[in-house]
Amino acid sequence: NAGVTQTPKFRILKIGQSMTLQCTQDMNHNYMYWYRQDPGMGLKLIYYSVGAGITDKGEVPNGYNVSRSTTEDFPLRLELAAPSQTSVYFCASSYSTVQETQYFGPGTRLLVL
Amino acid sequence: EDQVTQSPEALRLQEGESSSLNCSYTVSGLRGLFWYRQDPGKGPEFLFTLYSAGEEKEKERLKATLTKKESFLHITAPKPEDSATYLCAVQGATNKLIFGTGTLLAVQP
């Protein structure tokens, strides 16, 4: 049982490039989330999904897109990378939402130059 | 607006020196308060969930308590391996987690 896995661990992008951050969970959780963590700031919710085919915006969705075609996978897409997207990105999952613990992956560190 | 404030920002303790971390919150309809531990370069690791004022939970040297306005994470006789950033988050009526900025704890041998 690997839990939540994320790839890549680290990536450098040039301004305007695109990339997809991968997230997979093997706990059969319905809910999945993408957060970003910046120095001195709390984790901020980017997008979340309540099940395959259903996604919704979080607090800071601009510049990102998501899709959820399977229960296990929840990729995060950056279409035109900007320096403001330099951050550490965490994927999380939970069985339900109300009062349910979210389990986090190891993170992807992204640097946009 | 739901809000979480953690204090202090950083705390340095000697091994064996007990202390407490604070998490103050304002939230509409508290559904849960979560404590996580985060090691450098790693994702947050779940520690506790507290659901109502007066509730307490313990795990090894850690004890979390909850009132209507704040939560404390008490660390008894800490060891160097307890060094980490401790994150607090609340879940209110929106069902989304609102995180604090964390307390960086360093325990020196």
Side-chain angles (χ1 to χ4, degrees):
Chain A
N1 192 335
V4 179
T5 57
Q6 294 182 238
T7 57
K9 290 184 179 179
F10 176 64
R11 181 81 181 266
I12 299 175
L13 279 184
K14 294 183 179 179
I15 294 172
Q17 286 186 322
S18 301
M19 79 164 292
T20 299
L21 283 66
Q22 301 292 345
C23 174
T24 300
Q25 55 90 10
D26 63 0
M27 296 177 281
N28 201 31
H29 284 170
N30 295 316
Y31 291 75
M32 296 187 74
Y33 314 83
W34 275 105
Y35 292 88
R36 61 178 287 171
Q37 186 177 41
D38 299 301
M41 307 280 287
L43 286 151
K44 301 293 185 185
L45 182 64
I46 305 171
Y47 270 96
Y48 66 100
S49 170
V50 302
I54 306 171
T55 63
D56 205 351
K57 296 178 181 178
E59 186 180 358
V60 290
N62 291 343
Y64 307 95
N65 280 300
V66 294
S67 59
R68 182 109 179 260
S69 57
T70 68
T71 300
E72 295 79 20
D73 301 306
F74 190 40
L76 178 71
R77 179 84 177 161
L78 282 70
E79 292 294 348
L80 292 170
S84 61
Q85 293 177 306
T86 292
S87 189
V88 182
Y89 292 85
F90 290 101
C91 179
S93 72
S94 63
Y95 180 72
S96 178
T97 182
V98 180
Q99 299 183 329
E100 283 284 336
T101 300
Q102 292 184 18
Y103 296 92
F104 285 79
T108 293
R109 184 172 170 231
L110 177 65
L111 182 60
V112 182
L113 299 174
Chain B
E1 182 182 342
D2 298 347
Q3 200 166 6
V4 176
T5 303
Q6 291 189 247
S7 61
E9 290 186 8
L11 181 62
R12 182 173 293 181
L13 300 174
Q14 290 296 125
E15 184 172 2
E17 179 187 1
S18 301
S19 188
S20 298
L21 313 182
N22 178 262
C23 172
S24 298
Y25 65 89
T26 55
V27 65
S28 298
L30 179 71
R31 294 187 171 172
L33 185 141
F34 301 78
W35 281 100
Y36 286 86
R37 169 192 171 126
Q38 186 174 23
D39 293 301
K42 303 280 183 68
E45 177 187 345
F46 171 72
L47 292 174
F48 304 108
T49 308
L50 301 168
Y51 297 106
S52 58
E55 190 174 1
E56 299 182 352
K57 288 193 176 173
E58 287 188 67
K59 179 181 179 180
E60 297 181 356
R61 295 175 293 281
L62 300 177
K63 179 180 177 180
T65 62
L66 181 64
T67 73
K68 289 186 178 180
K69 295 182 178 180
E70 58 191 351
S71 176
F72 290 94
L73 185 65
H74 306 278
I75 304 176
T76 302
K79 298 182 177 182
E81 53 261 42
D82 294 321
S83 297
T85 295
Y86 290 86
L87 303 175
C88 170
V90 295
Q91 184 184 52
T94 66
N95 289 330
K96 296 180 176 65
L97 287 189
I98 306 300
F99 281 85
T101 53
T103 293
L104 175 61
L105 175 66
V107 182
Q108 295 181 316

